[in-house]
């Protein structure tokens, strides 16, 4: 135990924080809300030694826990008896039961009846529940829960809520609480599996971070481009029907969706220039906003009239840049993410300061996508783009042409690029590259093993490379592509160092059975020619084969390269 007591304080703190901050996954759209629900994992640490107790006690006692339902537990009495209550800054409320039982449990836990002056943050978690509840029977209990929380936390400023239940009771404990604290809230994060039923009444004038998401419900396929430039309305989803009224100039982060692509900025307001006070009737300008994420969806509408309404209104949300005063300003915006925008993505992006953006993400925005050039984002440092399926098979507007053009756009500041395309065949990458300063490249597109060498030779500053190896269309296509490819290598090409900067290589295999071993053998020889390589990732099923291929390269006495560095390379599985 002496050795453990001599661990540096920073190492001990990291160990305890790892136990304490347990991640809880949100919806299927990769929403993730981190909730501190690992308090009881720290109890054993408190008993190890005085040094461990000193470091772990702060995390344990500064967070009050009330867990109701399957794993009922609480540390409220321990906090009150230890004297840490005035220093407690967070409440974690994890429930899996009906409102009336939650109200009783709050009373029994002794949390109610004591004013917690230092608690400014609430973490609320409602896991998946199949309990059928009646709103008529639970109204009184819901009111009681909200009043208990309001009276006990008079200085609440930050709310993080995750509801995995699909009924309207998932966030019942927060409805009145959010409305009463709305003028004082600085952070509001709400992620729900089903439709959000919160009713917002107040105005938020201090809110800096707003995150609201509800899970998509897809029906009959994905959003796609069509010949008449109309959205494919087979996409149906729960959309956010109610967003709080927020003073736009206080926001630093805004992440909402799915929303309808009309009247996006209606919930936000600016300030009156004459009186210099917030005004609900003033067009908002997001003067402090640095990060913006907008996820779009189409509200379920079974009637043809509903679909016509969407078509008629499609141009209302695409004001041109010269339409002065019709669109908010974003003078500090650095990061922009747009998902599933159903209309002209070119016109929509013109509403944002493209010349100052540092980070850009575009996902499933098919309309006029192939007319987009990343070079207009002159200061871009990272880009993540889903390349949609081309509606027409033309020479100038297809996935392969756009990807080749992206690699040759003039973007001297770009350091990270991620491209994803659902193409049934492999893509031939261009022969020249302008992105000479690129350090991180993720290509979720099918390509051949030989393309890895080309990438490493052309992009001399790469530190991380992620590729997907897939089948070629046919033996004829493979022969033609090989014969037409420029011959860049001399006879001693296998002894040439490919990169002196690459540290991480991630290889995903999408090959028929029997061809994986050959692709892994090629990857092993690539790694042998990269002396800076530290880690190689692949699917879990191929790790043993990859290790065998690397051992064969190391044991090869006739190898034209020095492969001794492979003994220090770590092999890891790609995270699911």
């Amino acid at each position: 135990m002496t050795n453990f007591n001599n661990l540096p304080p920073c190492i001990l703190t990291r160990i305890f924080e790892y136990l304490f901050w347990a991640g809880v996954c949100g919806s299927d759209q990769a929403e993730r809300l981190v909730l501190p629900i690992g308090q009881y994992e720290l109890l054993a640490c408190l008993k190890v030694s005085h040094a461990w107790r000193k470091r772990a006690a702060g995390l344990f006692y500064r967070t009050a826990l009330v867990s109701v339902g399957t794993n009922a537990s609480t540390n409220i009495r321990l906090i009150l008896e230890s004297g840490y209550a005035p220093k407690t800054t967070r409440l974690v409320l994890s429930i899996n039961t009906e409102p009336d039982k939650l109200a009783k449990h709050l009373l029994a836990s002794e949390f109610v009846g004591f004013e917690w002056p230092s608690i400014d943050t609430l973490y609320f978690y409602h896991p998946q529940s199949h309990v059928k509840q009646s709103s008529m029977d639970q109204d009184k209990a819901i009111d009681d829960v909200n009043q208990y929380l309001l009276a006990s936390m008079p200085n609440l400023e930050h709310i993080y809520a995750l509801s995995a239940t699909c009924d309207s009771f998932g966030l019942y404990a927060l409805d009145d609480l959010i409305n009463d604290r709305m003028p004082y809230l600085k952070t509001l994060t709400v992620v729900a599996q089903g439709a959000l039923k919160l009713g917002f009444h107040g105005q938020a004038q201090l809110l800096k971070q707003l995150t609201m998401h509800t899970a998509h419900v897809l029906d009959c396929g994905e959003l796609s481009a069509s010949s008449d430039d109309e959205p494919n309305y087979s996409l149906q989803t729960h959309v956010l029907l109610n967003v709080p009224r927020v003073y736009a100039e206080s926001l630093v982060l805004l992440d909402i969706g799915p929303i309808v692509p009309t009247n996006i900025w209606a919930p936000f307001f600016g300030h009156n220039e004459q009186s210099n006070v917030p005004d609900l009737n003033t067009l908002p300008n997001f003067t402090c906003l640095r990060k913006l994420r907008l996820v779009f969806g189409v509200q379920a509408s079974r009637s043809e009239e509903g679909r016509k309404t969407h078509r008629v209104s499609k141009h209302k949300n695409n004001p041109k840049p010269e339409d002065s005063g019709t669109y908010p300003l974003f003078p500090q915006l650095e990061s922009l993410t747009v998902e599933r925008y159903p209309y002209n993505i070119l016109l929509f992006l013109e509403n944002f300061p493209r010349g100052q953006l540092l980070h850009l993400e575009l996902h499933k925005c098919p309309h006029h996508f192939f007319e987009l050039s990343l070079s207009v984002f002159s200061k871009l440092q990272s880009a993540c783009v889903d390349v949609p399926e081309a509606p027409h098979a033309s020479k100038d507007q297809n996935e392969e042409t756009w990807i080749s053009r992206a690699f040759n756009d003039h973007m001297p500041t770009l350091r990270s690029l991620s491209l994803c395309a659902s193409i049934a065949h492999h893509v031939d990458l261009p022969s020249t590259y302008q992105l000479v300063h690129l350090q991180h490249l993720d290509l979720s597109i099918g390509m051949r093993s030989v393309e890895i060498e080309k990438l490493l030779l052309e992009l001399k500053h790469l530190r991380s490379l992620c590729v997907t190896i897939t089948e070629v269309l046919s033996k004829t296509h493979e022969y033609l592509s090989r014969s037409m490819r420029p011959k860049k290598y001399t006879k001693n090409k296998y002894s040439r160092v490919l990169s002196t900067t690459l540290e991480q290589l991630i290889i995903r295999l999408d090959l028929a059975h029997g061809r994986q071993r050959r692709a892994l053998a090629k990857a092993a020889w690539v790694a042998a020619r990269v002396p800076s390589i530290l880690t190689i990732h692949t699917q879990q099923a191929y790790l043993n084969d990859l290790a065998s291929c690397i051992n064969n390269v190391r044991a090869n006495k006739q190898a034209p390269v020095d492969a001794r560095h492979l003994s220090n390379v770590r092999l890891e599985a790609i995270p699911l």
Side-chain angles (χ1 to χ4, degrees), residues 185-401:
L185 285 182
K186 295 181 180 178
T187 303
L188 177 59
T189 297
V190 180
V191 178
Q193 183 71 21
L196 285 174
K197 301 290 185 176
L198 294 174
F200 300 106
H201 307 298
Q203 290 84 39
Q205 299 187 15
L206 301 177
L207 203 62
K208 294 182 180 297
Q209 299 185 20
L210 174 62
T211 301
M212 294 188 66
H213 280 275
T214 182
H216 287 270
V217 177
L218 299 180
D219 182 24
C220 304
E222 297 287 335
L223 184 68
S224 62
S226 59
S227 58
D228 57 355
D229 194 32
E230 295 293 340
N232 183 344
Y233 282 94
S234 61
L235 172 67
Q236 297 187 358
T237 177
H238 292 304
V239 297
L240 293 178
L241 300 179
N242 198 3
V243 177
R245 299 301 306 273
V246 178
Y247 181 46
E249 298 189 16
S250 66
L251 281 173
V252 177
L253 181 149
L254 177 60
D255 184 352
I256 56 175
I259 56 175
V260 293
T262 54
N263 298 320
I264 300 172
W265 314 113
F268 307 95
F269 59 92
H271 75 277
N272 190 306
E273 294 184 358
Q274 296 180 351
S275 60
N276 201 27
V277 296
D279 186 352
L280 294 176
N281 299 317
T282 304
L283 181 73
N285 286 320
F286 296 83
T287 55
C288 297
L289 193 68
R290 294 184 177 275
K291 186 174 182 180
L292 173 62
R293 178 177 176 233
L294 299 173
V295 180
F296 293 92
V298 178
Q299 185 175 354
S301 176
R302 297 184 179 181
S303 66
E304 185 63 27
E305 186 64 30
R307 296 184 176 91
K308 290 180 180 179
T309 301
H310 281 297
R311 292 191 181 103
V312 171
S313 64
K314 74 173 185 176
H315 297 292
K316 294 183 180 180
N317 202 42
N318 279 329
K320 297 181 180 180
E322 62 267 19
D323 291 341
S324 177
T326 61
Y327 218 79
L329 299 177
F330 305 87
Q332 302 294 327
L333 191 63
E334 297 177 351
S335 176
L336 174 63
T337 301
V338 181
E339 300 183 23
R340 299 181 182 274
Y341 187 68
Y343 306 129
N344 190 328
I345 187 61
L346 287 181
L347 290 178
F348 186 67
L349 291 176
E350 288 179 359
N351 297 305
F352 302 95
R354 295 172 296 177
Q356 74 181 39
L357 287 177
L358 303 180
H359 312 283
L360 175 68
E361 292 190 32
L362 297 176
H363 303 284
K364 295 181 174 60
C365 301
H367 294 284
H368 294 268
F369 173 85
F370 295 100
E371 301 171 25
L372 174 68
S373 173
L374 294 180
S375 60
V376 298
F377 304 92
S378 56
K379 295 183 179 180
L380 207 61
Q381 295 179 4
S382 69
C384 180
V385 180
D386 280 351
V387 182
E389 184 179 354
H392 307 288
S394 64
K395 182 178 179 180
D396 297 328
Q397 291 196 356
N398 60 55
E399 301 92 331
E400 191 165 331
T401 301

